[in-house]
Structure formats: C-alpha cells, structure tokens
Amino acid sequence: MCIAVFLWQAHPLYPLILLLNRDEFHNRPTAPLAWWEGGEILGGRDGLAGGTWLACSREGRLAFLTNVREVHQSTPLVKSRGDLPVSFLKSKKNPLEFAEEVLKEADQYNGFNLILVDLGSKSIIYVTNRSKEDKVGFIREVSPGIHVLTNASLDFPWPKAQRLRLSFEELLVEYGENELPLKEMVERLMTDTTKDRSSLPGIYPPEKEYELSSIFVDRDTPLGRYGTRSTSALLVKLGGEVCFYERHLDKDLWKEEMVNYKM
C-alpha cells in the first residue's frame, strides 16, 4: 500500500513535483535509491521480484505505481507489477502507446495504478487494470494541477488522500514561486501518522483499515512489521535538472540518499 501526491505543469519553477511513500513488509529485501541498468535507470529496487515502485531515466521519463486495495487476496502466479515502470523506462513508446500495450495484458497482473510521464513531450498518462466501469481497466490523460494516488483510483477522495492534498496545497501557498525545501516537504507531509475512523474504504476489516488510514503507516501483523519503508521526493526544474531524494529504512535505521542529474 502506498500514497503519492504530485503537481504537474502548474508551478513556475517545477514542471513536476512528486512525493511518494512506499508501504511494504519490513523484511522484504529492498535496494535503496541508485542508478541501475547500466546507469540509465534511477530508483529503488525490490530485491524479491526485481522491479520498482518509482524510477526515472536520463531521458526525462518517469513511472510510478501503487497496488489496488481489493477484497480478494493477490494471485501469486501473475506478472510482477514492479516490472511495469522498468519496462516503460526501457521502451521507446510514448506514455499513451505504452499504456495501451499494458491494457492488452491487464489480466496478467494483480490490481495496479500506474503513472507514466515523458517530460520531453509534456505527456502524462494514468492507467489502471481495475475500475468500477470496466473490469479490464482504463486509460486517461492527467490534467495539470495537484493529484493524489492511493490504493484506489487516481484522485479518489479517501480521507488520507484529502489530508495529503490539503497539506501540499498549504505548503505551495506558503512558498509561492520560490524554490521548495525538499527534505522539509518530506518531514511535513509524508510522516503524518494521523488516523481516522470516519469514511474508511470498508475493503478490509475495520481495525486493519484504521491502521492503514494514515499517510505514514507502521503496524505489526502476523507476518511481521508492515508500513512505510521509504519516502521519495522528486523535483524537476524547468532547465531539466532533477533532484531525487529518498529516505529509507535499513535494519530499523533511517538512511538518506540524494541524486542530482540533468536530463
């Protein structure tokens, strides 16, 4: 379970601002933010399946995803959702073309939400293989402005999504057209442990829903400790400069990685 907030083409200095919490079991092997695939892809990496939840490339392409919260348990004998961002970054297809290809094999994945970005062409696409209207999913272009992605569809108004959106809006107003403090954004917005029993999705049992109702998640389960393993913050400046920051857990210690490069 993850949550992300991002601003697209609506800031005088930054075409893209992204903050993302990755929630996972603490015992799942994970590699921190680094360059991989011969120095062409930048992101954290799942040590079990080999994919990623968020990564970008030197060519100005970026992709991130969340799982879809569902009643039915995930099916193990399917393709890894973490391969989708990697496949997009390796491909030559534009976001829409890639999304159309993904939907052709949508039934081969457990539920996902996927955001595909090409900064060069100013294109951003949302694709999911779950929706109430169409069980095989749908594609739509993402409009300029603020968007929040949880484990429901894009901009679905779960209470924690609304809290994150409001906090992000307040921070943007506070800093106006000035540069944004990347680490402060992470601390102020993504470490919020506020829980709410009102308007829970009702997909899981109430107590589990309550534990997952915060932006920053930390809970004990029969399978081990589960919660926010890392927070990523990514700023893209008008001149093509990218600042990618990650705060991640390593054996119960929080560590930091920062990578700056130009597209």
Side-chain angles (χ1 to χ4, degrees):
M1 303 298 159
C2 306
I3 187 169
V5 62
F6 61 99
L7 182 70
W8 171 247
Q9 298 293 340
H11 191 283
L13 299 180
Y14 305 103
L16 177 65
I17 303 167
L18 169 65
L19 298 165
L20 184 148
N21 275 357
R22 180 207 181 206
D23 300 338
E24 186 52 86
F25 284 101
H26 287 208
N27 58 10
R28 187 175 178 111
T30 300
L33 175 68
W35 287 104
W36 38 292
E37 295 294 329
E40 293 302 317
I41 294 177
L42 176 64
R45 197 164 196 175
D46 177 33
L48 195 61
T52 188
W53 55 97
L54 163 64
C56 56
S57 73
R58 295 187 184 275
E59 288 73 35
R61 291 161 71 86
L62 178 143
F64 62 94
L65 61 77
T66 67
N67 298 343
V68 174
R69 190 178 299 183
E70 301 179 283
V71 176
H72 303 294
Q73 296 296 316
S74 297
T75 304
L77 299 178
V78 293
K79 293 184 176 181
S80 171
R81 291 167 289 199
D83 288 340
L84 292 170
V86 180
S87 296
F88 172 68
L89 296 180
K90 289 181 176 180
S91 79
K92 299 300 182 182
K93 294 182 173 67
N94 64 44
L96 179 58
E97 291 170 339
F98 186 85
E100 291 171 341
E101 288 297 313
V102 167
L103 279 193
K104 291 179 182 178
E105 53 182 29
D107 59 346
Q108 298 180 38
Y109 297 90
N110 288 316
F112 68 81
N113 297 304
L114 177 64
I115 301 288
L116 307 167
V117 184
D118 185 338
L119 288 153
S121 63
K122 297 182 180 180
S123 173
I124 179 168
I125 294 292
Y126 165 63
V127 55
T128 179
N129 64 344
R130 297 290 190 271
S131 72
K132 292 181 179 178
E133 298 82 9
D134 184 347
K135 292 183 180 179
V136 299
F138 69 94
I139 298 168
R140 74 174 171 92
E141 186 175 358
V142 180
S143 61
I146 297 174
H147 299 275
V148 182
L149 183 63
T150 58
N151 303 108
S153 58
L154 182 64
D155 295 321
F156 197 84
W158 280 359
K160 69 189 223 176
Q162 293 176 312
R163 287 199 304 273
L164 182 55
R165 177 189 289 271
L166 179 60
S167 297
F168 190 47
E169 289 173 345
E170 290 173 346
L171 186 141
L172 292 174
V173 170
E174 178 180 338
Y175 281 88
E177 297 185 0
N178 299 314
E179 290 195 2
L180 296 172
L182 189 144
K183 291 187 180 182
E184 181 183 336
M185 292 168 65
V186 168
E187 286 296 326
R188 285 177 55 177
L189 275 62
M190 308 307 289
T191 61
D192 184 359
T193 57
T194 303
K195 295 181 177 62
D196 188 351
R197 291 193 185 276
S198 67
S199 303
L200 294 175
I203 300 169
Y204 295 157
E207 195 56 37
K208 183 176 180 179
E209 291 279 11
Y210 174 71
E211 291 295 324
L212 296 173
S213 68
S214 54
I215 293 167
F216 184 97
V217 175
D218 188 14
R219 62 187 296 261
D220 289 320
T221 80
L223 297 177
R225 194 174 172 197
Y226 176 91
T228 302
R229 287 280 305 273
S230 66
T231 300
S232 301
L234 188 143
L235 299 176
V236 180
K237 294 186 177 181
L238 280 175
E241 297 175 19
V242 178
C243 182
F244 198 155
Y245 167 79
E246 182 187 84
R247 180 175 177 266
H248 65 274
L249 265 179
D250 181 9
K251 298 178 181 178
D252 293 328
L253 294 175
W254 286 101
K255 297 183 178 181
E256 297 178 316
E257 304 288 342
M258 178 85 80
V259 177
N260 294 283
Y261 73 99
K262 189 163 185 176
M263 295 186 302

